[in-house]
Amino acid sequence: MNDDFATAMRRAVRSTRALNLAEATRVIQDALAGRPASDARTSTNPDITPPPPVQRSTPFPVDPDAEIIQPLAKPEAEEPAERIGDAATSRRVRKSLGETVRILREGRLASGVFGLLHGAGLPGTAKQVPEPILPDGAQFLARSFTCPAGSRSYRLYIPASAPDRPRGLVVMLHGCKQDPEDFAAGTGMNAVAETHGLVIAYPSQSGASNASSCWNWFRPADQMRDEGEPSIIAGITMEIMSEFGLDRDRVFVAGLSAGGAMAAVMAETYPDLYSAAGIHSGVAYGSANDVVSAFSAMRGDGGLASGPKRLANRQWLRTIVFQGSADRTVHPFNADRIVAAATPTGVGWAVRKESGRSAGGRTYARTIVADTAGRPAVEYWLVYGAGHAWSGGHSAGSYTDPNGPDASSQMVRFFLDGLE
């Protein structure tokens, strides 16, 4: 392997970590084309600190339809979900530099890591969604929250069906290139909330914190309690809980893609705050601690990265998982790992499997882990033929699959199971 090429790749990774995507893009393009680095733009010292990040820099320029994994083979696409526990198998997280370079040469880094970290590899950008038409008495408020870790804006839906004493709260974390309005329109969660008397919070990731508005689920500082983005999201949650007098049993967190990965972080770091989590096309907690390990995890090659450790005496959160079998951004193996981590240890847990077909024609396998009373602790919906999109979503928003089973309704049904 050419030493200059290896040096360029290290420089590109450092620039990416610093969120200087324009510089990372240029370095990778020059290296892949065999062009020598310009003294005016690069340093001969591979350990030099990269230039400061450029806010709102352009995402990595790749074909948005480029695939990073092969879809499941057709014969397997009609089979039930994999058995629970297989995901616990340990695998290497870090690639050798030679393997990383090979991946880069094949163009998979662009559509892979940047796909979930910075929004490339996803079909388009967030839709410009007009303000929704609300039922009489409902509100869709614009708010902001500030704590020592930073500030974030958020939208709050207050249903007309329960404006003063809602039945519960769902915190919804959007994916890359999305915003609260787009995510609300695509998931249809406000309508579901109106039916069940729930308030819904949609925290907004800022472009200053991530160039494509992705939650930074892969950074160690954003995988820890009382620090970074988890502390901001938790602060928003507690603010709303206090306002409406809600306790933990009625508070839930859910997300898609990078938002799904961050929902897994919230479930792990704040198990005393949420009683259940919904993770759609996400990645398990602790899967990554930098760009390379994030890429490995997304492709389905990774085990647990070295980074924040799981809490020794953590509470188990009830968890519902949705995953498309043909997802070319996040490999379905990640859903297996999430399910394995969420399944309580010990005896007395029964596993049941079902299959069905949605009204839109998608077939699915549903795996349920329930206690002796029959109450589900974990549900896993593997939707055959679905890609990286919210199952059963609406075309008014981005990254949706209207043909799949309704993930919003199923998550809320799961969240409220057993409540009065």
Side-chain angles (χ1 to χ4, degrees), residues 146-160:
T146 300
C147 68
S151 300
R152 293 295 186 277
S153 61
Y154 68 96
R155 298 299 299 265
L156 181 69
Y157 182 80
I158 302 177

Side-chain angles (χ1 to χ4, degrees), residues 104-170:
L104 284 166
R105 287 190 184 278
E106 295 175 0
R108 289 185 287 164
L109 180 60
S111 57
V113 174
F114 285 81
L116 196 55
L117 308 192
H118 302 295
L122 294 178
T125 58
K127 293 187 176 182
Q128 296 300 311
V129 179
E131 283 294 307
I133 299 175
L134 304 177
D136 290 342
Q139 302 177 74
F140 197 35
L141 305 177
R143 293 182 169 183
S144 64
F145 175 82
T146 300
C147 68
S151 300
R152 293 295 186 277
S153 61
Y154 68 96
R155 298 299 299 265
L156 181 69
Y157 182 80
I158 302 177
S161 59
D164 300 318
R165 297 188 61 82
R167 195 178 181 192
L169 163 67
V170 181

Side-chain angles (χ1 to χ4, degrees), residues 225-236:
R225 184 184 178 96
D226 297 330
E227 293 193 24
E229 292 173 1
S231 69
I232 298 173
I233 296 169
I236 292 172

Side-chain angles (χ1 to χ4, degrees), residues 13 17 91-104 108-109 113 289-303:
V13 169
R17 289 172 179 165
R91 303 187 183 189
R92 289 184 59 201
V93 172
R94 292 186 176 273
K95 298 286 187 186
S96 67
L97 184 57
E99 174 67 3
T100 302
V101 170
R102 180 184 66 78
I103 291 168
L104 284 166
R108 289 185 287 164
L109 180 60
V113 174
N289 55 16
D290 56 21
V291 170
V292 175
S293 58
F295 175 41
S296 181
M298 289 167 58
R299 290 181 61 240
D301 290 343

Side-chain angles (χ1 to χ4, degrees), residues 35 38 50 126 129 141 145 196 212 222 375 386 405 420:
R35 292 191 293 268
S38 168
V129 179
L141 305 177
F145 175 82
H196 294 278
S212 289
D222 293 308
R375 187 185 186 203
E420 296 180 359

